[in-house]
Amino acid sequence: MLVTFFSFIFLFLFSQVALSTEINLVHGDGDSLKVDLIVIGDGYSLQDQDHYHQRVDELVDYMFTSAKSAPYPRYQNFINVWRIDLMSRESGIDDIDAGIYKDTPLH
């Protein structure tokens, strides 16, 4: 099922963006019997990728260690977290009210 999902994501993304796209396992062991959580960062340029990686690491750390994120800490051994690195041509997100539209893969 995960392979089918990733195949769909790849086809969609590569039809939308000419820059590189990578998928990385950031938590878990990739076991197909686990729940898969996928984080997709849209609006991060190549220069922003380190910041995006840091933000995903912070999210995963908070999700599995904070008392406020219950019940995830208890179930962390049953969850894989995947990070999809999309390279946007422009940094940031759209602000429709201000008439700002960014060139990103999921735009």
Side-chain angles (χ1 to χ4, degrees):
M1 171 113 166
L2 181 63
V3 172
T4 303
F5 177 75
F6 279 146
S7 297
F8 172 76
I9 290 292
F10 270 133
L11 289 174
F12 174 76
L13 294 177
F14 285 125
S15 70
Q16 301 295 315
V17 64
L19 302 173
S20 65
T21 303
E22 295 181 13
I23 297 177
N24 297 284
L25 180 65
V26 294
H27 176 84
D29 58 10
D31 185 335
S32 64
L33 298 177
K34 294 184 177 181
V35 173
D36 292 299
L37 173 68
I38 301 168
V39 181
I40 303 173
D42 190 39
Y44 291 94
S45 68
L46 180 61
Q47 295 80 13
D48 298 329
Q49 290 301 301
D50 288 339
H51 177 71
Y52 168 59
H53 297 171
Q54 178 184 355
R55 298 296 295 174
V56 172
D57 291 343
E58 291 169 0
L59 168 73
V60 170
D61 182 57
Y62 179 83
M63 185 173 171
F64 295 124
T65 62
S66 174
K68 294 180 180 180
S69 63
Y72 296 107
R74 184 174 6 151
Y75 295 110
Q76 68 179 308
N77 293 330
F78 303 101
I79 300 173
N80 293 316
V81 180
W82 302 86
R83 183 188 72 229
I84 298 182
D85 300 340
L86 296 180
M87 310 303 167
S88 296
R89 288 185 178 89
E90 293 183 286
S91 295
I93 59 173
D94 294 347
D95 183 348
I96 297 169
D97 293 335
I100 298 171
Y101 298 94
K102 299 290 184 167
D103 185 6
T104 67
L106 301 180
H107 174 8

